[in-house]
Structure formats: C-alpha cells, structure tokens
Amino acid sequence: MEKTIGEIRKEMQAAKMEELPAFIKTYETDRRAGVRALVDRAGRRLAAYEKEWIRIQKMQVYENRYADCHFICGVDEAGRGPLAGPVVAGAVILPKNCQILYLNDSKQLTAKKREELYDIIREKAVCTGVGIVGPERIDEINILQATYEAMRQALANLTVRPDILLNDAVTIPSVGITQIPIIKGDAKSVSIAAASIIAKVTRDRIMAEYDAKYPGYGFASNKGYGSGEHIAALKRLGPGPIHRRSFIKNFMES
C-alpha cells in the first residue's frame, strides 16, 4: 500500500542526516506534489548540512596547523563593553578532530543556539574553564587588565594544562604558555568559538540573575549594555551595585 503524504512527512522529519540520501532516492520519483515538496525540503536540509560541515572544516585551520600540540586551548571573553556586570572569560580544550557543528562567534548565534551549543561543548570538551571579574575590579584596574585577569582565571580553572593558546586577538600577560592571537578568532577557530560561547552564556545567565536582584534596568534583555532603555533607567534610578562607575560617568553628567 502506498504511504500517505503524512506518513512520508513523519519519516522525513524523523530521518537522521545520514538517512536523508536514502529518503530522497526512495521518493524522488513520486509525482505527488506534497511528496515532491518533502523531497525538496530534505534536499535543502542535506545541502545546508554539507555547507555547514565544510565551514567547520575551514574553522579547524589553526587546530590543524598546531596539531603537534596535544592540548590546544581556545580563549575568549564576553562583556568588555557593557556599562554593568562582570567581564567573563572562557577557556576550552576540545578533543582532536572534534566535530561540533554550528560553532561560531557567539554574537552570530541566537540565544537558543548558544544554550544548545553550551551543553554540547561542556559534554564533549576535554575541559572548560571560566573566569569572572566584577565591576569594582574593572573600575580599579581598567577593562583591558580585568579582561586579562578573567582569562588567567579561566586558564587556572582548567583541569588540564594547555600546550598552546589560541586567543581572540589578544596576548595575555603573565601566562607561561605559547599564545597565538588571532584577529576575529571566534569566527576562524573552533576552539575560540567554543570559548566565546562558554563565556557569553555564562555572562548572560549572570545578568539574568542580576535582573531579578536589581529590577528596573532591564539587565535580562540588555545584558548591561548601553541600550536606550538601560541609559534611561540609569538616569532615572541612578547607578546600581553592579554598574561600572568608570563606564557611566558621561551618562550621569549629561
């Protein structure tokens, strides 16, 4: 008995990526418009997957270049620019030839995709480390030095010592490990992209907690960045305990 279009749709939706070629071959001669649409959809899904696979292979160029190093660690930060909250650094050592699709600069991903990838990274990584430096320390030593401090913390929180660091654009002072700074590295290296996601998700969760603790500033939505809503609230309510005084002077004086 011929399968209904509904049955074929369920089959396509349940198919794993490696099963799609067989699905397409099975139904590509079916002349029903609904089935042809499903075959086309399966083809687009497969093409998108293959395109993503190629992109991820290209993002392993640095990992391949330094393949003689046993433990390659990506390092990145989140939160250098906001008016409030901490700067957070992530450090991630992925296993050799790790194939996690959709790794990218965290800012290029939706919040949902970042959360999904956060869990996958934590599950598959050799180890991950996080460093957090709060607003008072940022005001004390400036944001660049606070970023370096957060990165050193993240490295110290790894359970394995890296052989080499792939950093997003910076060279971290006072670290006795070979470092490779890569401009826009979170879009060029899977290790740095993974660190970017760990840092971003960690910081976003912190800011959501601060939103509940210090309502009115919109921290859950603006994450401490200088949105119009945030600046208006800052002028109306005054600075809160997590605002960076060195960042908000101009807003408070205007």
Side-chain angles (χ1 to χ4, degrees):
M1 181 181 294
E2 187 175 59
K3 289 185 179 179
T4 67
I5 294 174
E7 289 172 333
I8 296 171
R9 180 182 295 106
K10 289 180 181 178
E11 184 179 340
M12 190 271 288
Q13 291 172 342
K16 296 178 181 178
M17 201 60 65
E18 61 269 21
E19 296 170 334
L20 287 179
F23 173 88
I24 292 169
K25 185 174 182 180
T26 299
Y27 297 107
E28 63 186 354
T29 58
D30 194 308
R31 304 317 301 164
R32 288 175 289 177
V35 177
R36 291 202 303 272
L38 291 172
V39 170
D40 288 344
R41 190 188 307 174
R44 291 194 298 272
R45 181 178 160 195
L46 186 61
Y49 173 81
E50 291 171 348
K51 182 179 178 181
E52 174 60 18
W53 184 263
I54 291 169
R55 189 189 69 85
I56 286 295
Q57 300 309 305
K58 290 179 179 178
M59 281 187 69
Q60 298 194 54
V61 61
Y62 290 97
E63 285 75 9
N64 293 334
R65 184 177 301 174
Y66 301 103
D68 289 344
C69 298
H70 194 52
F71 293 119
I72 299 172
C73 180
V75 183
D76 200 4
E77 54 73 30
R80 285 181 67 169
L83 308 180
V87 61
V88 176
V92 176
I93 300 177
L94 295 174
K96 294 284 187 179
N97 301 313
C98 183
Q99 306 295 342
I100 302 176
L101 296 183
Y102 307 107
L103 288 175
N104 204 344
D105 170 6
S106 63
K107 297 183 291 297
Q108 301 300 315
L109 302 168
T110 65
K112 180 181 179 181
K113 179 57 72 173
R114 285 195 298 265
E115 289 282 349
E116 290 174 1
L117 286 168
Y118 177 92
D119 291 337
I120 294 171
I121 293 163
R122 291 294 302 270
E123 175 188 348
K124 294 192 174 184
V126 174
C127 60
T128 64
V130 170
I132 302 171
V133 174
E136 290 186 1
R137 184 64 172 163
I138 292 170
D139 288 335
E140 179 185 351
I141 62 175
N142 77 48
I143 185 59
L144 179 59
Q145 296 305 317
T147 299
Y148 291 150
E149 190 167 290
M151 288 177 168
R152 287 191 291 266
Q153 285 182 18
L155 293 170
N157 287 328
L158 293 170
T159 55
V160 173
R161 179 178 171 81
D163 299 305
I164 192 169
L165 306 181
L166 304 181
N167 304 337
D168 188 27
V170 301
T171 300
I172 311 163
S174 305
V175 171
I177 303 171
T178 299
Q179 303 182 56
I180 310 297
I182 303 168
I183 303 298
K184 296 184 179 178
D186 47 8
K188 298 176 181 177
S189 158
V190 289
S191 300
I192 299 177
S196 169
I197 292 164
I198 292 295
K200 175 67 173 167
V201 171
T202 299
R203 189 178 189 280
D204 284 357
R205 291 177 178 179
I206 291 171
M207 295 309 295
E209 292 175 2
Y210 278 139
D211 185 65
K213 190 173 182 180
Y214 305 114
Y217 298 100
F219 290 143
S221 59
N222 60 50
K223 305 300 186 292
Y225 284 88
S227 66
E229 167 204 33
H230 185 185
I231 293 170
L234 186 58
K235 292 180 177 181
R236 184 178 69 253
L237 301 173
I242 67 164
H243 279 101
R244 304 171 182 179
R245 267 42 181 187
S246 56
F247 279 51
I248 64 172
K249 291 184 294 184
N250 293 339
F251 297 111
M252 302 310 297
E253 292 169 0
S254 59

